[in-house]
Amino acid sequence: MKKYYITTPIYYPSANFHIGHCYTTIIADALARYKRLSGYDVFYQTGTDEHGLKIETKAKEVGLSPKEYVDKIIADAKDLWEKLDISYDYFIRTTDKEHIKSVQQIFKKLYEKGDIYKGEYKGLYCVPCESFWAPNQSSSGKCPDCGRDLTRVSEEAYFFKLSKYQKQLEEHIETHPDFIEPKSRKNEMINNFIKPGLEDLCVSRTSFKWGIPVDFDDKHVIYVWIDALSNYITSLGYPKETESFKKYWPADLQLVGKEIVRFHTIIWPALLMALDLPLPKRVYGHGWLTIDGGKISKSLGNYKDPREYIDAYGVDAVRYFVLREVPFGSDGNFSEEALILRTNNDLCNILGNLLSRTMQMAIKYFDGKITISDKNEKIDNELIITANNLKDSVDKKIEELKVNEALELIFDLFRKCNKYIDETTPWLLSKDEKENKRLETIIYNLLESIRKGSIMLNAFLPQTAKKIFKQLNLEEQSFQDIDKSENYNVGLEKPEILFKRIVK
Ligand code: MSP
């Protein structure tokens, strides 16, 4: 069986998660589900990145130990993922005992190899971003990522020989065009970061305690990026040569927000090279969901708990918005108004309406029992061809990670079905006994198109697909069922409204 290992970043549990965290997680979920339906043995991993000064400080502010503080947020995050139907296979926490041990072993291995050495760190540090910057990276004394003030620091520290891997890294990126995507981010990495020259990286700190100790020099804790990035292999058991490590590594797709592409396409591959491990096949840096065109941030207080939207509009309305609204790779705005508009326009007007019209006609004219017909007219064949080609065209979009376009194709089929109803005018045919077979053919073609569309919808909106199959009185179907011809002569179930129109 072919395998597929897909990851999200591990999120900082410094505050409860917002719709931006849901963004990567929902997209990874849809891709994981799609690959499972395509017959892959999928390993979908997400998790939390729990160490570092920021968490230590936050916990102190509310009088908790760092572990107590993160435990609460992780419980909340897991609840959120459950409500969003996130089908992760593994949730890694960097406070997991096995992860801690593995990271210490990785650190030691690199030290013994000479790729980690002791030196003195002098530079600038951004506390909120937990990132170090060399003086030449910030002439203004402000963090190049978030614009906040940087702090000057100097202390004994361990360094990773990132510079040693510059050539090898450049070569890998050039010879593996899919390694960094989209292309624009690949060019940015090469031109802005690699070509100007890579400096060795500070990988330990002595100024805070909340981290994984270097086991052979325990006044140092391992600085967050080695700890965090290793999660993608420690979860599989590395450095032990476990079955899952052999099976799943290297990852097939690592999804990351654009602000951490740098860490995932420079530091991460260099670490893997130092460990003599293969690199992930593809790292994709996507854009951000914004609110009023800007950052979603706790300190700005500009966001609601995503569960409020789930409770008000349903989980699939939220999933649909995230998957459909923004071209994957670009930034896009999130607002409650836009969520309502999408739900009403696509989920209610196109899909809900189609299902309800078709079901009502089938029940009214044929008591819900519709049999196969083979006498199709030109207009029928056009619809049938669109439905039959849908899987191949969605497959292509998914391969290119154009998730929003994949959904657009599925809804295009539903839109065509509505048009087909308008053009074939079943309500007129129903008045003429002689047109009975023709009428049944039309309804049959609609049911088949809805069935095929719903099979394709499964990965994106699993609950909606389930509800549609139930109404069609069918067991849940998968990709291998798409080409068969279904019979609806057992009778359809009672129609139910899929999505209520939202009036605000
Ligand atoms: N802990 C690091 C990642 C370590 S991975 C080895 C981190 N955590 S984070 O909590 O800041 O999460 C960043 C990720 O959350 C982004 O890369 C992105 O995947 C997701 N998003 C957070 N806010 C987002 C938006 N507003 N829009 C889209 N994705 C966003 O960085």
Side-chain angles (χ1 to χ4, degrees):
M1 202 187 215
K2 294 169 292 179
K3 67 87 187 176
Y4 194 77
Y5 179 24
I6 177 170
T7 64
T8 71
I10 48 169
Y11 306 109
Y12 289 130
S14 47
N16 285 350
F17 293 179
H18 56 63
I19 194 79
H21 301 103
C22 302
Y23 183 78
T24 322
T25 317
I26 292 174
I27 289 174
D29 181 69
L31 294 170
R33 286 174 183 269
Y34 199 90
K35 288 291 174 183
R36 283 190 202 109
L37 291 166
S38 309
Y40 285 77
D41 172 351
V42 171
F43 193 73
Y44 168 21
Q45 178 171 298
T46 188
T48 40
D49 181 3
E50 304 181 16
H51 294 123
L53 184 56
K54 191 169 167 184
I55 304 262
E56 193 178 79
T57 315
K58 282 254 170 189
K60 211 176 271 160
E61 275 167 22
V62 291
L64 294 174
S65 74
K67 184 68 171 47
E68 284 166 343
Y69 181 82
V70 293
D71 277 353
K72 280 193 174 183
I73 296 186
I74 275 84
D76 191 79
K78 285 187 172 172
D79 175 70
L80 177 61
W81 295 159
E82 195 184 322
K83 296 216 158 74
L84 279 171
D85 283 331
I86 303 302
S87 62
Y88 59 80
D89 297 290
Y90 195 71
F91 189 108
I92 187 159
R93 299 183 53 173
T94 53
T95 50
D96 290 340
K97 278 201 185 65
E98 306 77 44
H99 172 81
I100 292 174
K101 199 160 159 233
S102 298
V103 168
Q104 288 175 324
Q105 286 167 338
I106 289 171
F107 199 93
K108 197 167 188 176
K109 197 167 176 166
L110 296 175
Y111 180 71
E112 282 165 359
K113 189 181 171 189
D115 276 356
I116 283 181
Y117 61 90
K118 202 185 241 182
E120 188 176 351
Y121 179 77
K122 279 203 191 79
L124 301 162
Y125 182 66
C126 176
V127 178
C129 296
E130 304 204 8
S131 57
F132 291 95
W133 300 93
N136 66 358
Q137 289 173 307
S138 166
S139 48
S140 61
K142 303 269 184 214
C143 172
D145 271 348
C146 73
R148 282 177 271 207
D149 285 339
L150 294 168
T151 313
R152 204 162 274 288
V153 283
S154 158
E155 59 185 55
E156 175 191 287
Y158 285 94
F159 286 82
F160 170 61
K161 276 192 188 158
L162 187 59
S163 55
K164 177 178 160 188
Y165 294 96
Q166 159 132 9
K167 267 249 111 25
Q168 206 179 329
L169 194 58
E170 227 174 305
E171 239 170 64
H172 185 88
I173 295 172
E174 294 298 355
T175 52
H176 295 77
D178 297 338
F179 177 59
I180 309 178
E181 282 189 309
K183 251 203 185 64
S184 56
R185 306 221 196 273
K186 167 178 153 179
N187 297 338
E188 186 193 345
M189 288 306 123
I190 296 184
N191 299 330
N192 298 2
F193 294 102
I194 303 178
K195 283 229 169 19
L198 294 175
E199 288 185 19
D200 290 353
L201 181 78
C202 175
V203 290
S204 83
R205 315 300 300 151
T206 50
S207 50
F208 62 92
K209 280 275 152 270
W210 179 236
I212 301 179
V214 174
D215 57 354
F216 53 87
D217 189 353
D218 65 9
K219 73 175 192 291
H220 290 261
V221 296
I222 297 172
Y223 168 55
V224 284
W225 281 101
I226 284 209
D227 171 1
L229 289 163
S230 306
N231 91 84
Y232 303 124
I233 50 176
T234 61
S235 61
L236 303 172
Y238 186 84
K240 284 198 221 86
E241 286 207 13
T242 59
E243 280 312 306
S244 39
F245 184 72
K246 280 190 264 177
K247 178 155 122 210
Y248 292 116
W249 191 256
D252 295 86
L253 178 63
Q254 302 212 262
L255 293 182
V256 297
K258 61 181 182 182
E259 80 288 8
I260 54 172
V261 172
R262 185 163 73 96
F263 303 100
H264 283 81
T265 58
I266 296 175
I267 303 176
W268 179 221
L271 274 177
L272 289 166
M273 283 169 177
L275 294 168
D276 291 317
L277 292 175
L279 307 196
K281 292 182 194 154
R282 206 172 179 189
V283 177
Y284 191 98
H286 64 72
W288 287 340
L289 274 189
T290 54
I291 287 184
D292 299 328
K295 217 172 165 338
I296 305 178
S297 121
K298 180 96 180 166
S299 52
L300 294 174
N302 63 355
Y303 69 88
K304 283 191 192 171
D305 182 330
R307 275 162 289 215
E308 289 192 32
Y309 305 118
I310 302 174
D311 292 343
Y313 312 122
V315 53
D316 279 356
V318 176
R319 286 179 67 106
Y320 185 74
F321 181 89
V322 162
L323 292 162
R324 171 67 184 83
E325 184 75 4
V326 184
F328 197 46
S330 317
D331 290 352
N333 210 43
F334 173 83
S335 72
E336 197 156 350
E337 293 71 42
L339 171 66
I340 293 174
L341 207 64
R342 272 275 167 222
T343 310
N344 283 345
N345 287 350
D346 296 7
L347 299 177
C348 292
N349 292 359
I350 300 176
L351 175 57
N353 203 14
L354 167 66
L355 183 71
S356 124
R357 287 165 96 187
T358 308
M359 294 286 293
Q360 278 171 22
M361 291 192 291
I363 288 166
K364 184 168 166 200
Y365 303 140
F366 298 98
D367 209 17
K369 292 184 182 146
I370 307 288
T371 45
I372 295 186
S373 153
D374 50 10
K375 249 186 96 198
N376 286 314
E377 297 184 1
K378 183 166 171 273
I379 190 167
D380 307 331
N381 287 331
E382 280 167 11
L383 181 70
I384 292 168
I385 289 171
T386 311
N388 288 350
N389 289 342
L390 185 63
K391 167 128 188 345
D392 281 351
S393 24
V394 173
D395 275 353
K396 272 200 206 92
K397 294 292 182 195
I398 292 294
E399 244 358 273
E400 296 165 6
L401 301 182
K402 294 185 172 156
V403 186
N404 66 311
E405 292 182 26
L407 269 175
E408 221 173 301
L409 286 172
I410 302 172
F411 275 74
D412 190 48
L413 171 66
F414 297 143
R415 203 177 287 120
K416 286 203 167 99
C417 288
N418 279 319
K419 191 159 162 259
Y420 175 76
I421 301 180
D422 297 341
E423 289 175 355
T424 53
T425 59
W427 57 94
L428 294 181
L429 298 175
S430 75
K431 295 193 175 121
D432 184 349
E433 187 78 7
K434 287 200 301 297
E435 298 287 4
N436 215 29
K437 197 62 213 164
R438 175 74 194 131
L439 181 60
E440 192 173 4
T441 301
I442 290 167
I443 297 175
Y444 180 79
N445 288 334
L446 285 167
L447 289 171
E448 277 295 82
S449 301
I450 294 172
R451 181 180 69 85
K452 291 180 184 191
S454 305
I455 291 177
M456 299 314 298
L457 214 51
N458 219 330
F460 307 95
L461 311 180
Q463 291 197 15
T464 301
K466 200 180 254 169
K467 284 185 196 157
I468 299 177
F469 287 126
K470 186 166 173 292
Q471 295 198 32
L472 297 181
N473 203 0
L474 298 173
E475 295 286 317
E476 252 176 83
Q477 299 201 344
S478 186
F479 289 165
Q480 69 270 15
D481 304 306
I482 202 159
D483 290 329
K484 71 181 188 197
S485 300
E486 198 48 74
N487 230 322
Y488 301 89
N489 54 8
V490 190
L492 302 172
E493 291 284 310
K494 198 167 130 289
E496 267 169 47
I497 291 179
L498 272 188
F499 294 96
K500 283 206 191 77
R501 214 188 145 68
I502 306 163
V503 192
K504 267 235 153 178

